[in-house]
Amino acid sequence: MTNLVFLPGLHGDAQSWDPTLRALPESWATTALDLPAVPDLDALVDETARLIASGSVVVGHSLGGVVAMHLAERHPSLLAGLVLVTAPVGTEDPDAAAARAARAADLSPEEYEGIALDGMEAVYFGDRGHDPQVRAERLRAARGYGPARFAAHSVALGARPDRSAFPAQAPCPVLIVGASHDEVVPTEEQRRWAESNGAGSIGAESNSAESNGAESIGAASDGAGAGGVTYVEIPETGHMLPAEKPEELAAVVADWWRRTGAAPG
């Protein structure tokens, strides 16, 4: 049976995926991982690869999506499918990357927690960033994640390569999941990324899209990658889509994998 492996984003830990995992079919094998505190992207990916069985579907959110794409490049035989949730596409400006790495270095736990909670309105949709329960979960995840991971991952994230053409070249089917109101990885950028990699024009809706209000861009044309590219956009969500609408995300992933892979019905 295919195992679905979930990789969290910046400030997130394995437990951050619990609501999504609970919403997937109980018979499916799922694993959520904590990303190691390694600043070199190659080494981070190689260390993560040791925890992933061959033939897995890897689901990565944000930083986790960066790691997942690099994993596909360095360890293609591990992947049966790839799900990229609000994942950054291009490289980062070197000055901006250096500034973030410097800001993240040598933080006390208290200083780091302040950074994790700062500016939450920019990463959640609407007023969710001010919701006490949402903030409590963000703080819980940040305390599990910790300043050492934040410092290491800030360096790794700044060294990411450009992935503009990646989905069409991937060694497996790719699902790109975008958020309707993403201010971190802009929604229009996600749409253009999907379209430029053969996912077609916005308009077609899958069964999961109909039931969850999500908008789909359908499968890629023949010859794109090893299995095609699909784009689904989930409405009324920001960059923290997995925390905001885990049930909808689970439904989209499950529907895509039933259609694309060898998942049970």
Side-chain angles (χ1 to χ4, degrees), residues 46-69:
D46 291 346
E47 193 165 323
T48 302
R50 290 196 285 268
L51 305 174
I52 298 175
S54 180
S56 294
V57 173
V58 175
V59 182
H61 170 236
S62 194
L63 167 67
V66 171
V67 172
M69 287 186 279

Side-chain angles (χ1 to χ4, degrees), residues 107-199:
L107 294 172
S108 69
E110 294 76 18
E111 289 171 331
Y112 163 64
E113 289 166 15
I115 287 175
L117 292 175
D118 185 38
M120 285 181 61
E121 65 277 0
V123 294
Y124 291 84
F125 174 73
D127 293 330
R128 289 189 188 123
H130 300 288
D131 185 305
Q133 289 186 321
V134 172
R135 294 182 69 83
E137 167 56 21
R138 176 84 162 183
L139 183 58
R140 181 215 60 76
R143 286 173 172 166
Y145 182 79
R149 277 194 177 92
F150 180 56
H153 294 166
S154 294
V155 175
L157 189 59
R160 67 185 184 270
D162 183 87
R163 295 298 186 189
S164 297
F166 168 82
Q169 301 167 354
C172 59
V174 177
L175 170 64
I176 299 171
V177 184
S180 63
H181 293 76
D182 194 340
E183 297 183 24
V184 179
V185 182
T187 305
E188 286 297 329
E189 180 179 305
Q190 294 279 295
R191 291 173 181 169
R192 287 194 300 270
W193 189 36
E195 291 172 1
S196 68
N197 280 275

